[in-house]
Structures are given as structure tokens and as C-alpha cells.
Amino acid sequence: MTKMPLPSSHYFFFAIFLSYTLPPTLQVPLFAPISKDPSTQLYTLSLYLKTPLQPTKLHLDLGSSFTWLLCDSTYTSSSYHHIPCNSSLCASFHSTACSNCFHPRAPNCANDTCALFPENPLTRTTLLDNALIDSLALPTSDGSTQGPLILISDFIFSCSSSSLLQGLATNAAGLAALGRSSNSLPAQISAALSSSLCFALCLPASTSSPGAAFFGSTGPYFTSSKIDLSKLLNYTSLIVNPVGDTVITHDAQPSDEYFINLTSILINGHAVPINSSILTVDKNGFGGTKISTAEPYTVLETSVYKLFVERFANASAAFNLTVTEAVEPFGVCYPAKDLTETRVGPAVPTVDLVMQSEDVFWRIFGGNSMVRIEREGVDVWCLGFVDGGSRRRTPIVIGAYQMEDNLLQFDLHSNKLGFTSSLLLQAATCSDLNVANFYNHTK
């Protein structure tokens, strides 16, 4: 990534508000708060964009290829610029689209401008819009202390219109892409700062207390009680799906989503009899298991789901639980009064996602397997896994609810996923990783 000269307005801004450093090799992660939107139950990532730097919330998507941002008349920045169609940078996007506009020049209007196809991962809609370069900044942090803002003055993203925001987290001004693409947010941070191509997510269960994302380092990630969560990580390989699944997919383009080698699912230590053939990604991109923030709950192909809920309901008998009327979209629910609370959530059978070998598993306790529903006289705990139908392209998709208050580290240099079990075991949550006063840099 080419370093762009720093505009004089940046010097003025930083001289007043903060110390500014750009180390040749970043040793401490960059930090961004993650908030859970109470109305959609989706997540936003908070960062700084433009000149002068403006706090901005973007919908967090784990599998998207490149970030996109609303570029309407409210977009104000003195540092943005377009990318010419015939440039080597435009060619690197594998996009043959070129945009022209015969109105006054603006972020979303220029002639001979490289164009991209921003996509909404929930509605699976896309449009054609300008590629843009502007400033991005995030503070350094190890989870317990916050350092100065680090500026990346040549951050690449796509413009978009408000129609593409449909269904995304409320108040999001666009989408933060965390996929495997060389143009994703983590990849651009790594390239600009010569840091590790690694990032970690800790999604909050609370809508009032943010979680955290860390970029550019394999740790440490300290909680407020000084626990380094990087020491608790277990690791499994990340699998590359050879065929992309975006609306606009170029020939021979692999998927930018994150797949893992799930080999079995255990309920209270007993295997669910899954047809092993569906757990492997084939040459056409079908099969396997991926991790996605686009799904609120883990989605299972119908044949897997039926076996899973049957075995879970049978194992629940040992906890003196009796199934009650289900509440959509869930298929198995229990009266809330019958469940006992523990420090890791309601006492129910454990679910183990086993990867590559029997001693590598991601254990899911009640806090991540059960969803409390209280409305209109109903008070139940429901199993937070849903039936995704038959003949799914990806038969198992681990959803966001199962990730909450778990730390996940995506190490793309070593091509591995690090994961903890519930942080509640450590008397901690993802909110304990949040560095206070994130926005004080601009006050």
C-alpha cells in the first residue's frame, strides 16, 4: 500500500488533540469498540474516518471483501480522492467497472473513476459505485490501556447509497469488511503498518457495554482484571473455500469468508451422527462449516438440525427439563422456571464443536446455546440453533450469538483460528476488554 503524504490539516488536528505516531512495525494492537444494536441484534464497529477525523459506526461483517461507506451530500472530508480506471490499483481489484459522472465532482461523482460492487450481506443486494481513498484512524491498545491514534491516510473503500443500508445495524454509515480479501480492513491495516495480518473479535452480549476488536497483533489482550486472553486460545486451521459466494464473483475467486474443519458435534460428550461428507468443502464450494456475523444464530442444514435438536432434547432429560411450546425461529424451548442459572448461563447440556482432532474443541455452554424469550406472557429459554433448510451451500454456519463473550482470533499469517470458550469461566465478558473513553480523543 502506498503511503500518502499527510495533509497540513492533519498536522493541525493532531497537534491540538493527540500525539501522533506511525511506527515502522506496530507492536501493540489497534483497537475498535464493538457495539450490539438493541433493535437488530447486529453489531457495529466504531472507528475514525475522513479529515478532520470523524467518529463513524460501520456494520461489522466478518466475511465481506471490502469496506463501503455512504457517500451522499453529508460526506465531508478534505482528504478524499478517487482512483483512475487505468491505474494498477484499480486493476488489483479485479473489477472491470469504470464510472463516469457529469454532475459536479463529489465523493460519489467523478469521471474515469474505478468502480466496485459494494454488497449488503443480509439482503444479498449490490450496486455499482466509486472506489475511494480517504483517512482512517484507530487508537493503539492492549485491552487495558489506550495509546495515541494511528493514522492510515490511504484507506481504500467503496462508496454506496442509503438503499444498501437496509437491514443492517441501526445508525451504521456503511459496512466494515473483515474478510480474507487483501482489501479488507484488517489487511489494509497490516499492509500500511507492516504489522501482523491478524485480528481478534470479542462480540458483546450486552447492548449497553461494548466489546472490542483488535487489529495488527497476536496479543496480548488484557481484561480489566489483567487476564491475558491470548494465553487461553485454542487453535484450529482456517480452510479456504475455492469458490466465492458474493453476488458479483469473479472467475477463480476463492471465498473471503472464514471456514473451519469441523469434524463432529458432541452433546454432553456424545456425537451427533452427522453425515461426514457434508463437512468437507468440495471443488464447487459446497459443504463445510463457516463462521459468520451475518447469521444471528448458528444455522444447521435440516438433516443435521433434526438430529441435533433430538439429541439435545434427550440429553436435557438428565437436567429435569421438559420441552414446551417452541417460539420461532427456534425449535426447542423450555420453561424458564425449570432452568438453573450458573456462571456460564442456564444449566443445559454442553455442545462441543470438534475440529481436526478430539482434543481441539470449542465448548458452548448455556450462555451461548440458550436464548431467553420473555414476551406476552411467555418466559422460556430456547435452543439458539435454527433450521436452515435442505440443500444448503454451507450446511453449518456458526452464528454471532454463539460467539458472544468468546474471544476469536483470525491469524491470516499462520492461517489459523484461535478461540476461547466462554469468558464467563474467567468471571469476565467481552466488555471487560473495552478501553474506556474511546471518543475522548476528539473531545
Side-chain angles (χ1 to χ4, degrees):
M1 181 178 295
T2 304
K3 296 289 194 303
M4 306 301 295
L6 191 66
S8 59
S9 58
H10 276 89
Y11 285 117
F12 177 74
F13 180 84
F14 281 104
I16 293 177
F17 291 110
L18 48 94
S19 61
Y20 165 69
T21 57
L22 184 60
T25 301
L26 191 69
Q27 299 298 323
V28 180
L30 297 189
F31 162 82
I34 299 174
S35 299
K36 185 175 182 179
D37 174 31
S39 60
T40 63
Q41 302 296 298
L42 298 171
Y43 308 88
T44 57
L45 192 72
S46 296
L47 37 71
Y48 294 99
L49 291 170
K50 310 174 186 177
T51 302
L53 292 173
Q54 301 169 32
T56 305
K57 286 190 174 184
L58 299 178
H59 177 94
L60 187 157
D61 188 72
L62 191 54
S64 289
S65 303
F66 52 86
T67 296
W68 52 264
L69 189 68
L70 186 63
C71 292
D72 59 10
S73 59
T74 64
Y75 192 103
T76 57
S77 175
S78 63
S79 56
Y80 79 85
H81 56 279
H82 299 96
I83 302 170
C85 289
N86 61 355
S87 64
S88 58
L89 180 57
C90 184
S92 73
F93 301 150
H94 303 291
S95 172
T96 58
C98 189
S99 177
N100 287 286
C101 178
F102 302 101
H103 298 285
R105 188 176 179 87
N108 62 351
C109 182
N111 293 325
D112 186 32
T113 297
C114 188
L116 295 170
F117 295 92
E119 180 176 332
N120 182 314
L122 304 183
T123 62
R124 299 304 304 273
T125 55
T126 188
L127 49 79
L128 178 69
D129 217 319
N130 292 341
L132 210 64
I133 293 178
D134 210 339
S135 295
L136 173 146
L138 287 171
T140 58
S141 173
D142 61 5
S144 60
T145 58
Q146 182 171 318
L149 281 176
I150 302 298
L151 180 74
I152 298 173
S153 57
D154 54 353
F155 181 65
I156 302 164
F157 59 95
S158 172
C159 281
S160 179
S161 65
S162 58
S163 63
L164 213 59
L165 294 171
Q166 181 180 357
L168 301 186
T170 307
N171 297 323
L175 177 144
L178 304 183
R180 299 180 69 114
S181 163
S182 59
N183 298 304
S184 69
L185 177 61
Q188 291 197 60
I189 290 174
S190 173
L193 305 182
S194 300
S195 61
S196 173
L197 184 46
C198 179
F199 69 96
L201 294 182
C202 208
L203 300 182
S206 170
T207 57
S208 58
S209 300
F214 298 96
F215 300 95
S217 172
T218 55
Y221 316 114
F222 287 108
T223 67
S224 56
S225 58
K226 305 300 182 182
I227 299 172
D228 179 8
L229 297 182
S230 68
K231 304 297 186 184
L232 304 179
L233 292 169
N234 297 300
Y235 295 94
T236 189
S237 298
L238 287 169
I239 306 299
V240 176
N241 186 320
V243 181
D245 189 31
T246 54
V247 175
I248 305 295
T249 300
H250 305 288
D251 291 342
Q253 177 184 342
S255 174
D256 289 327
E257 297 178 295
Y258 295 98
F259 285 74
I260 56 174
N261 183 24
L262 183 72
T263 55
S264 64
I265 300 175
L266 308 182
I267 296 177
N268 261 12
H270 299 285
V272 178
I274 300 171
N275 181 350
S276 60
S277 65
I278 70 172
L279 299 178
T280 302
V281 180
D282 66 21
K283 64 180 181 180
N284 297 313
F286 287 79
T289 301
K290 73 179 178 182
I291 302 173
S292 174
T293 52
E295 297 290 352
Y297 306 102
T298 292
V299 180
L300 304 175
E301 188 270 337
T302 295
S303 66
V304 178
Y305 179 79
K306 288 181 177 179
L307 291 168
F308 179 81
V309 296
E310 176 187 312
R311 297 304 171 98
F312 190 92
N314 291 341
S316 297
F319 293 77
N320 295 319
L321 299 178
T322 303
V323 172
T324 188
E325 184 176 353
V327 177
E328 292 186 351
F330 308 112
V332 174
C333 298
Y334 304 96
K337 62 181 178 60
D338 293 346
L339 276 77
T340 302
E341 289 281 353
T342 74
R343 65 174 177 167
V344 289
V348 294
T350 57
V351 176
D352 291 341
L353 305 178
V354 183
M355 291 160 279
Q356 72 196 39
S357 65
E358 292 183 358
D359 58 348
V360 179
F361 58 90
W362 180 355
R363 175 155 292 176
I364 299 174
F365 295 96
N368 290 104
S369 66
M370 304 301 293
V371 181
R372 184 76 174 266
I373 298 177
E374 298 177 86
R375 63 171 184 248
E376 300 174 356
V378 174
D379 188 5
V380 295
W381 283 98
C382 296
L383 181 60
F385 295 71
V386 298
D387 185 348
S390 59
R391 297 186 179 181
R392 288 181 54 84
R393 177 183 176 86
T394 304
I396 300 176
V397 181
I398 300 172
Y401 189 81
Q402 278 64 49
M403 302 181 218
E404 290 182 349
D405 287 333
N406 287 241
L407 179 72
L408 273 67
Q409 182 192 79
F410 297 82
D411 186 341
L412 299 178
H413 175 75
S414 301
N415 205 35
K416 63 184 181 180
L417 171 73
F419 57 94
T420 66
S421 189
S422 174
L423 300 186
L424 300 177
L425 287 169
Q426 312 298 325
T429 68
C430 286
S431 298
D432 293 325
L433 281 164
N434 182 48
V435 177
N437 302 319
F438 174 73
Y439 289 121
N440 280 354
H441 276 303
T442 58
K443 295 181 180 179

